Amino acid sequence: MSTSSPVIQLNTGSLQRLQESLGGWGDDKSARLAGDLLNKAAAGEMTIAFCGHFSAGKSSLINSLCGKKVLPSSPVPTSANVVSIRNGEPRALIYPVTPEEAAPEAKPQEVSLDELYTYCTNGGAYSSVEVWDHIPLLGSRGVLMDTPGVDSTDDSHQKATHSALHLADTVLYVMDYNHVQSENNLAFAKSLSDWGKPLYLVVNQIDKHRDRELSFEHYRAEVEAAFKRWQVHYESLLFTTLKEPEHPYNQWKQIQELIAELIVKREPILKYSLDCSAHHIVEQHVKAYAESLEETKQQLLEEMGGEEQAARLEAEIAGYRKEMERLKDLSQTQRESIRKQVDALLDNANITPAELRETAKQFLESRKSGFKVGLLFAGAKTQQEKQERLDKLTDALREQTSASVEWHLLELMKQWGKTEKIWSEEREQRLQASMPQISGDMLENSVKPDAVISGEYVLNYCRMLSADIKSLYRRAAMNAAEEMLADVAASAKVEQQRVVAALNALREQSAAMSRYMQLERD
């Protein structure tokens, strides 16, 4: 099959009719977007977009896929522009920024790849960049798209990324290992998911993971649970590291295979992507139309009895709406709040003070090869001494954690439960029973028999014990929190029904108010 014509034939009739309708309605911006889809259908290219924060490593992953440094490490640090990469003779096209209302016929400037790096230092002057280089992986139909870093302080970056999704067929959302479950990441992943296009979640820098702090299986389960709570729908969750290629959890080869497979099997994905983008154009048009009804809404406000009366009604409705939003997000808000409080409590807890470290040192000395007590019946005395030192350290740790961690955690959960009116004696008993038990095996398993007993080794041993114990308490506390959050959600649902009833009663006070609120919903 000739590479000079599209490999697949997409039905463009509906797109042409959509473009004509939008133009007839005076929505030139949406009509241009529909025209973009027509051009995309004609090209038949599979566009794979990479999204994520600046620090997530998007550009490095793209360069590794390309097998060379096609992108600067920070291509457009001060602007909201998009870079598209194709296979071909090395060159680049730079598109200047044009007013949103202007026609997109602004002529691009062609530069060499060497010149591209210089131009990128003034990224704010350009809206998008197209790059060609020898990249066999992409073939004649593959496109890699690098979107701006999703910086929570710069709305233009998120807007540019969402704009790029208009032409993307598949999205890889790249996240730093340490920030996967941040609210910004979860919220933006949800917005990507809502587009409906195939979404792959990529946790980069997996080399930061430490199995002794948390098993990889448990970490993965926590990540999956977080995205499930946010109703983020995705194709698969992948873990990568460019720093340690042989890392046991590295799935870099799977990502390379995924890119190749997406390009080969692009036909159904392209058709679905065009459909998603066309629906999005229609939704945005409808939204813009609703916003154009502000004049009608103003007339309705006057019918409601003038500005003072309208302001009162609006204030009451806004109060109910705000309460609805609070109740809707209550579980997630409280989950994050209790997690932060638990983390702060554990971070400040001192489980191994100086006197306990001395007890730990005596215990570690008893685990050294050659440790011996007495001359007569030395074997029995030695075993007795070893057991006594183990018991002493175990008891000391239990006493210290009970005073510095467990009591405070119980109080924290108790006060929260009482505030939400879900606390009971039975719940308190269950929570106490779920607290971790420090065992002698935990202490024994952490010993390095061949280590030289020194102040530094004792300190490191105590730090490791402290981290392990805090991890156990953190999991116990958050498991209990999830159980309590289920009751919080149930109470919030009942309260939501009350607020809805009150809001509906208020709307019925005036036909004008009902019409006004209908326009607000539309």
Side-chain angles (χ1 to χ4, degrees):
M1 183 175 292
S2 173
T3 58
S4 62
S5 61
V7 177
I8 59 176
Q9 294 296 323
L10 298 170
N11 181 13
T12 58
S14 58
L15 287 175
Q16 289 174 338
R17 289 191 293 274
L18 175 62
Q19 183 184 34
E20 292 168 1
S21 297
L22 292 167
W25 294 329
D27 190 350
D28 294 335
K29 177 183 176 182
S30 295
R32 287 199 299 270
L33 292 176
D36 291 340
L37 296 184
L38 281 167
N39 295 333
K40 177 177 175 60
E45 294 178 327
M46 162 61 71
T47 300
I48 302 167
F50 283 73
C51 304
H53 288 257
F54 283 119
S55 61
K58 292 185 292 92
S59 298
S60 297
L61 291 179
I62 292 175
N63 284 334
S64 294
L65 283 169
C66 295
K68 60 182 68 178
K69 186 178 181 181
V70 178
L71 297 176
S73 57
S74 182
V76 281
T78 60
S79 72
N81 76 24
V82 175
V83 182
S84 299
I85 303 169
R86 294 176 174 85
N87 180 40
E89 288 301 314
R91 64 190 179 100
L93 292 178
I94 300 179
Y95 291 82
V97 171
T98 57
E100 188 172 315
E101 65 277 4
E105 281 85 18
K107 192 173 182 180
Q109 179 179 358
E110 182 169 345
V111 300
S112 69
L113 295 189
D114 290 336
E115 293 174 308
L116 175 64
Y117 294 92
T118 302
Y119 280 101
C120 283
T121 60
N122 187 28
Y126 309 103
S127 63
S128 63
V129 179
E130 292 183 305
V131 179
W132 286 261
D133 205 342
H134 297 301
I135 307 169
L137 173 68
L138 299 181
S140 62
R141 300 292 173 185
V143 181
L144 298 181
M145 179 184 288
D146 185 24
T147 63
V150 183
D151 187 341
S152 61
T153 63
D154 193 339
D155 290 339
S156 65
H157 291 167
Q158 293 199 20
K159 289 178 181 178
T161 296
H162 277 293
S163 177
L165 291 178
H166 169 65
L167 296 178
D169 302 301
T170 301
V171 181
L172 273 70
Y173 187 49
V174 183
M175 301 162 284
D176 181 284
Y177 170 85
N178 287 328
H179 304 106
V180 174
Q181 296 189 53
S182 71
E183 186 172 347
N184 284 341
N185 259 336
L186 293 168
F188 195 74
K190 179 67 168 68
S191 70
L192 295 177
S193 170
D194 290 345
W195 262 82
K197 297 190 178 185
L199 172 64
Y200 294 84
L201 303 178
V202 180
V203 177
N204 196 21
Q205 302 167 10
I206 191 61
D207 52 281
K208 295 178 180 178
H209 181 76
R210 299 293 179 265
D211 272 319
R212 68 179 181 82
E213 297 176 2
L214 180 69
S215 73
F216 177 73
E217 291 75 15
H218 196 93
Y219 171 74
R220 181 181 185 121
E222 286 187 349
V223 171
E224 290 173 343
F227 284 105
K228 183 177 181 180
R229 287 193 297 271
W230 279 72
Q231 297 181 341
V232 176
H233 305 289
Y234 56 91
E235 302 298 319
S236 65
L237 175 64
L238 299 162
F239 299 87
T240 60
T241 172
L242 297 178
K243 185 177 180 181
E244 298 183 23
E246 302 303 319
H247 194 281
Y249 305 134
N250 190 15
Q251 294 180 289
W252 176 243
K253 290 183 179 178
Q254 287 91 320
I255 290 184
Q256 292 174 304
E257 293 168 357
L258 170 65
I259 300 298
E261 182 179 3
L262 288 172
I263 295 173
V264 171
K265 298 180 178 179
R266 66 190 178 279
E267 181 174 351
I269 303 176
L270 282 171
K271 291 180 179 179
Y272 178 72
S273 171
L274 287 169
D275 185 61
C276 286
S277 290
H279 277 84
H280 189 72
I281 291 173
V282 173
E283 289 172 358
Q284 292 301 108
H285 171 77
V286 172
K287 181 180 178 181
Y289 173 72
E291 292 172 352
S292 71
L293 299 177
E294 286 300 319
E295 183 177 348
T296 303
K297 288 163 61 178
Q298 185 60 39
Q299 293 174 352
L300 291 171
L301 283 173
E302 293 176 3
E303 291 179 26
M304 284 185 276
E307 291 186 4
E308 184 175 340
Q309 178 69 2
R312 185 186 67 79
L313 289 172
E314 280 190 286
E316 289 186 41
I317 290 173
Y320 282 123
R321 280 183 160 181
K322 185 175 181 180
E323 180 65 6
M324 283 292 291
E325 288 299 316
R326 186 190 72 81
L327 292 170
K328 179 182 175 182
D329 300 333
L330 186 60
S331 292
Q332 182 60 27
T333 301
Q334 294 211 1
R335 179 180 289 107
E336 293 303 320
S337 174
I338 201 68
R339 184 186 296 276
K340 289 179 181 178
Q341 291 181 66
V342 168
D343 286 345
L345 189 155
L346 292 173
D347 288 344
N348 293 324
N350 184 8
I351 295 179
T352 55
E355 58 270 22
L356 193 144
R357 292 198 296 273
E358 182 60 32
T359 303
K361 178 181 179 182
Q362 295 174 8
F363 162 71
L364 292 171
E365 289 174 344
S366 72
R367 266 51 188 172
K368 288 290 293 179
S369 177
F371 177 76
K372 185 177 178 183
V373 177
L375 296 175
L376 295 175
F377 309 107
K381 291 181 178 179
T382 298
Q383 285 302 117
Q384 181 181 354
E385 180 66 18
K386 291 175 71 174
Q387 185 62 44
E388 287 177 355
R389 294 191 183 189
L390 172 61
D391 292 343
K392 183 178 180 181
L393 179 57
T394 303
D395 292 342
L397 273 172
R398 286 174 178 170
E399 182 178 350
Q400 185 66 24
T401 54
S402 176
S404 62
V405 175
E406 188 168 313
W407 185 88
H408 296 285
L409 273 181
L410 290 171
E411 280 298 302
L412 171 63
M413 305 300 280
K414 183 176 181 179
Q415 292 304 316
W416 173 41
K418 286 185 175 180
T419 300
E420 295 301 322
K421 299 179 181 179
I422 58 171
W423 193 252
S424 65
E425 185 176 343
E426 180 185 357
R427 189 186 294 279
E428 183 170 358
Q429 291 173 352
R430 288 203 308 271
L431 181 58
Q432 288 176 335
S434 70
M435 289 293 104
Q437 295 297 317
I438 299 173
S439 66
D441 289 342
M442 178 187 297
L443 278 57
E444 294 280 14
N445 293 337
S446 302
V447 175
K448 295 181 180 179
D450 298 329
V452 176
I453 303 300
S454 65
E456 182 179 0
Y457 173 62
V458 173
L459 187 61
N460 287 335
Y461 174 80
C462 289
R463 285 174 178 169
M464 182 174 59
L465 270 182
S466 178
D468 289 344
I469 292 170
K470 289 180 179 181
S471 178
L472 291 174
Y473 274 101
R474 180 178 288 106
R475 283 177 225 168
M478 294 313 300
N479 286 339
E482 288 299 325
E483 178 186 330
M484 295 170 68
L485 282 168
D487 289 345
V488 170
S491 299
K493 187 174 182 180
V494 174
E495 185 65 12
Q496 278 180 301
Q497 293 172 347
R498 183 195 67 78
V499 173
V500 167
L503 187 56
N504 289 338
L506 182 62
R507 288 170 178 168
E508 290 174 1
Q509 291 180 14
S510 166
M513 175 58 73
S514 298
R515 175 60 179 151
Y516 178 82
M517 296 310 298
Q518 180 64 43
L519 289 175
E520 282 284 273
R521 288 195 297 272
D522 294 343

